[in-house]
Amino acid sequence: MTRRTIPALICCCLLCGCAQERIIDRINIIQSIGVDKEGETIKISASLPSYIKGAREQASPITAESNVTYGIFTALTAKSSQPIEVGQMRTLVLSEPFAREAIDEFAEIINRESIKSSNATIVVTKQNVNSIIADSSKKPPFYLSELIEHNMKQGNTPKTNYHSFLNQYYGEGQDLYLPVINRDNGLLQMDGICVYKGNELKLWLTAEEGLYLKLLTDKALTGEYDFKLGPQEMYSLIILRGKRKVAIAHDGKTKISLRLSIALREIPKAINVQKQADLQKVKEQIETKLSSEITALLTRLQKNKVDPVGFGEYYRWQHRTFNANRFYNKIYPNQVFEVKTKIIITYSGVGQ
């Protein structure tokens, strides 16, 4: 089997074009698919609901493997009592080996297929793909996709989908990144971000770094943030909304301004937010902490020669003389980052 055929099955999973009508309780609608690669063998796990007298329940996942890509679907069909339908597939989970070895063929194949309208989310796991799909199958239908969607809307995971995947992979000025999902104590959870440089999976970001990346990339600046300034100084807050401004000078000096509206959940007991001086102190501590951590992330990305933030895109918008090779060889390695965060406390309902 050639490497080119390895990811071909995934484009089939994402196809959502026109098809004949089917009665919903007479088909198996695939919700999520996990793909792994062991040597020359492709392994797939598919999660699907069952419909019994109008009620929708989760069925056990179907698993199959093959040395021929399209043989996977023959195996899936052989194990299904009803026709397989992939038009509503919402989530694709890639194992780390597959994500490392086959991202280029995967991107090439799905790009040339008629799947432009798909909003399926692509995530990566460091753990066993089959166990991720099996765990989600024990939950209500669409649990996995709703978990990911919730964390993108309200949590600390940057928003990604099929469209952002192709734009980042084929476009100039931003490197590809994908959310990571793992299990912790038997529970599925979003667990950071993986970042590519071309076809190489280059860097893993923590869940906290995922929030910083989200604040630098998403349109909706939301999330949850916890940090300590000392053994007894715990801060917890919700980022409700915000605005971002990025300016890059010709010499690469980069100014990033964040204006965030937050709600406090927890602050040190010694602080009384009813006092203006204490409230100002809280604001300054949060501003300093966020600015420092975001700057540290940017420095780490720069040292690893990856640009998931899309500074190349910002530079192209602001300067007509953009050249990708020149920017990433000359300007990006020498960028100096200045991050300023402005906090607006809209709610301080902490116990005082």
Side-chain angles (χ1 to χ4, degrees), residues 14-296:
L14 294 172
L15 285 173
C16 55
C18 297
Q20 65 183 38
E21 288 189 11
R22 298 183 180 182
I23 300 175
I24 195 167
D25 59 357
R26 296 181 184 177
I27 59 175
N28 280 329
I29 301 175
I30 293 180
Q31 299 176 6
S32 55
I33 288 181
V35 184
D36 197 2
K37 183 174 181 287
E38 293 183 7
E40 294 299 312
T41 301
I42 306 169
K43 297 185 176 182
I44 186 171
S45 300
S47 172
L48 59 156
S50 60
Y51 293 85
I52 303 175
K53 294 182 179 180
R56 184 170 62 182
E57 300 177 354
Q58 282 283 61
S60 298
I62 299 176
T63 60
E65 61 181 65
S66 175
N67 289 327
V68 179
T69 302
Y70 288 97
I72 291 291
F73 293 96
T74 301
L76 283 178
T77 300
K79 293 185 177 183
S80 175
S81 61
Q82 296 170 326
I84 296 291
E85 177 63 54
V86 298
Q88 293 190 38
M89 201 278 292
R90 296 188 182 184
T91 311
L92 176 61
V93 185
L94 306 181
S95 70
E96 181 180 350
F98 191 93
R100 287 189 181 279
E101 299 173 23
I103 200 69
D104 52 345
E105 290 90 352
F106 171 49
E108 179 183 348
I109 291 173
I110 66 172
N111 183 52
R112 69 169 182 252
E113 297 294 337
S114 301
I115 51 178
K116 307 301 184 187
S117 63
S118 174
N119 283 315
T121 302
I122 305 167
V123 297
V124 176
T125 183
K126 291 184 176 182
Q127 299 173 350
N128 182 274
V129 164
N130 183 58
S131 67
I132 299 293
I133 300 299
D135 280 0
S136 69
S137 296
K138 298 174 184 177
K139 304 292 185 179
F142 299 109
Y143 171 81
L144 183 57
S145 61
E146 289 174 355
L147 170 70
I148 296 171
E149 182 180 3
H150 167 72
N151 277 271
M152 288 182 176
K153 286 185 176 180
Q154 304 296 333
N156 298 346
T157 302
K159 182 175 177 58
T160 62
N161 55 26
Y162 162 82
H163 301 288
S164 65
F165 172 86
L166 286 183
N167 289 338
Q168 292 170 5
Y169 185 83
Y170 286 106
E172 289 186 331
Q174 184 179 27
D175 288 321
L176 172 67
Y177 60 87
L178 294 172
V180 176
I181 189 169
N182 287 314
R183 288 189 305 165
D184 182 43
N185 294 323
L187 297 176
L188 295 176
Q189 67 174 25
M190 304 310 295
D191 197 20
I193 301 293
C194 65
V195 183
Y196 284 81
K197 187 64 179 181
N199 296 321
E200 180 185 1
L201 203 169
K202 184 85 173 187
L203 194 63
W204 299 92
L205 304 184
T206 66
E208 192 171 83
E209 289 174 320
L211 169 62
Y212 306 146
L213 182 61
K214 182 179 184 179
L215 295 178
L216 294 167
T217 57
D218 273 20
K219 292 182 179 179
L221 306 190
T222 57
E224 301 182 0
Y225 190 45
D226 303 325
F227 67 95
K228 283 186 176 182
L229 291 180
Q232 304 298 324
E233 295 188 6
M234 178 68 188
Y235 291 80
S236 179
L237 58 95
I238 301 173
I239 302 172
L240 303 172
R241 56 189 174 274
K243 294 182 179 180
R244 174 185 60 248
K245 183 177 180 180
V246 178
I248 307 177
H250 280 283
D251 60 2
K253 185 175 182 179
T254 303
K255 294 183 178 181
I256 301 172
S257 300
L258 294 171
R259 184 180 177 90
L260 305 175
S261 296
I262 70 166
L264 295 175
R265 291 192 298 197
E266 183 178 347
I267 57 176
K269 293 181 180 180
I271 295 177
N272 183 358
V273 292
Q274 303 301 321
K275 296 181 179 180
Q276 187 61 36
D278 282 9
L279 189 62
Q280 183 62 30
K281 179 182 178 181
V282 169
K283 290 174 58 178
E284 292 175 355
Q285 287 175 326
I286 297 173
E287 290 168 352
T288 300
K289 180 66 174 178
L290 272 174
S291 295
S292 174
E293 294 294 337
I294 292 173
T295 301

Side-chain angles (χ1 to χ4, degrees), residues 5-18:
T5 62
I6 292 175
L9 69 100
I10 303 170
C11 71
C12 298
C13 300
L14 294 172
L15 285 173
C16 55
C18 297

